[in-house]
């Protein structure tokens, strides 16, 4: 679970514990899906819980 106060308004960030994970907010997710190329981005969206 993520601490929802930590991002401080950032739209995306990497987890220090696992730099391969990029956390994005809904606005970035919407933009990526809207502009998705035919072959895709090669990424997987996964919902995270934030407290």
């Amino acid at each position: 679970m993520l601490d929802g106060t930590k991002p401080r308004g950032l739209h995306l960030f990497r987890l220090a514990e696992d730099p391969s994970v990029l956390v994005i907010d809904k606005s970035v997710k919407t933009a990526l899906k809207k502009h998705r190329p035919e072959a895709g981005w090669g990424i997987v969206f996964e919902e995270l819980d934030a407290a």
Side-chain angles (χ1 to χ4, degrees):
M1 185 174 303
L2 294 175
D3 180 347
T5 64
K6 295 288 184 179
R8 297 184 189 104
L10 295 175
H11 295 286
L12 61 104
F13 59 92
R14 291 195 182 277
L15 292 180
E17 301 82 10
D18 187 355
S20 68
V21 175
L22 183 62
V23 179
I24 62 173
D25 70 5
K26 288 182 183 181
S27 67
V28 175
K29 180 180 174 183
T30 300
L32 286 171
K33 286 188 169 190
K34 182 178 179 181
H35 300 286
R36 182 182 183 270
E38 252 183 66
W41 293 110
I43 59 176
V44 176
F45 293 108
E46 198 174 306
E47 295 283 330
L48 298 174
D49 291 326

